[in-house]
């Protein structure tokens, strides 16, 4: 009941109440992956990244191959500029099914922040392959090409980004 109530409070943006419920879940069952994962989501929503990371790490200690939690941990690590750790978390998401477009996008951005541009380009291209109209991936790819002074590929990537979401640059 605590878990369901916590989820309800989270959906209603009553984050303090949600935190209380998820803490009760963990108190009653210290091996409850969902309790830790949801606690991490709330802490992340409240921008308490260290607490969010700790909660996700606790969830992964129980269920180390949970790709959803790995992805959320990776996002928190990316936001806190722990790019190598973020990349490692996102890489673990790819075992088996190859990952999804969002995971590949964040993995590409984490590689980019570490100046691993070859890997960044490959990950961003995979994100685009999985979702051809992925504005952020096209734009990030264009930025990398521009930094490498590869103007043709940069222009192509930026044009693809505009095509993916022309509303972002509509004339006012």
């Amino acid at each position: 009941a605590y878990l369901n109530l916590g989820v309800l409070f989270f959906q209603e943006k009553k984050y303090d109440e949600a935190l209380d419920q998820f803490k009760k879940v963990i108190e009653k069952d210290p091996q409850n992956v969902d309790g830790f994962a949801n606690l991490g989501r709330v802490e992340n929503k409240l921008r308490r990244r260290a607490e969010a990371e700790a909660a996700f790490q606790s969830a992964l200690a129980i269920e180390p191959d949970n790709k959803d939690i790995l992805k959320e941990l990776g996002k928190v690590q990316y936001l806190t500029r722990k790019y190598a750790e973020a990349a490692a978390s996102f890489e673990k998401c790819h075992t088996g099914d190859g990952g999804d477009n969002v995971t590949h996008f964040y993995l590409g951005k984490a590689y980019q922040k570490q100046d691993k541009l070859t890997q960044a380009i490959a990950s961003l291209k995979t994100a685009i392959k999985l979702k051809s109209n992925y504005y952020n991936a096209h734009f990030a790819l264009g930025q990398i090409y521009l930094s490498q002074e590869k103007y043709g590929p940069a222009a192509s990537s930026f044009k693809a980004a505009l095509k993916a979401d022309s509303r972002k640059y509509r004339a006012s």
Side-chain angles (χ1 to χ4, degrees):
Y2 294 126
L3 186 66
N4 291 334
L5 195 53
V7 170
L8 181 65
F9 283 138
F10 182 79
Q11 291 170 340
E12 293 175 350
K13 298 181 178 163
K14 296 179 180 178
Y15 301 123
D16 290 331
E17 291 92 336
L19 279 175
D20 290 340
Q21 297 305 310
F22 297 134
K23 287 177 181 177
K24 287 178 184 175
V25 169
I26 295 164
E27 186 179 303
K28 286 185 79 92
D29 179 7
Q31 294 298 305
N32 191 303
V33 173
D34 292 330
F36 282 110
N38 282 300
L39 181 65
R41 289 178 187 111
V42 176
E43 296 288 15
N44 191 32
K45 195 71 169 173
L46 294 171
R47 298 179 188 262
R48 296 195 295 232
R49 308 291 188 219
E51 292 86 346
E53 183 174 359
F56 291 135
Q57 293 285 11
S58 293
L60 288 169
I62 300 163
E63 201 173 294
D65 297 326
N66 187 311
K67 292 178 184 180
D68 292 330
I69 298 169
L70 282 164
K71 187 187 330 182
E72 293 196 58
L73 174 62
K75 286 180 184 179
V76 169
Q77 291 166 326
Y78 181 85
L79 290 170
T80 55
R81 298 183 175 157
K82 298 177 182 176
Y83 302 121
E85 291 175 37
S89 294
F90 292 128
E91 287 167 354
K92 291 176 189 172
C93 293
H94 294 172
T95 56
D97 66 2
D100 61 41
N101 61 312
V102 174
T103 304
H104 281 283
F105 169 74
Y106 276 103
L107 178 58
K109 292 294 290 178
Y111 283 144
Q112 180 185 9
K113 294 290 188 177
Q114 298 174 80
D115 284 326
K116 296 180 177 182
L117 300 183
T118 301
Q119 295 98 314
I121 290 168
S123 290
L124 292 168
K125 284 183 175 181
T126 301
I128 292 165
K129 185 177 179 182
L130 293 169
K131 182 181 176 191
S132 62
N133 65 341
Y134 196 172
Y135 171 86
N136 290 336
H138 284 291
F139 189 82
L141 190 57
Q143 289 178 311
I144 291 172
Y145 286 138
L146 191 59
S147 75
Q148 296 176 322
E149 298 182 358
K150 296 180 179 177
Y151 301 116
S156 295
S157 294
F158 290 135
K159 286 177 186 175
L162 287 171
K163 184 178 177 186
D165 192 357
S166 59
R167 294 167 293 163
K168 289 192 184 289
Y169 292 99
R170 210 180 276 162
S172 345

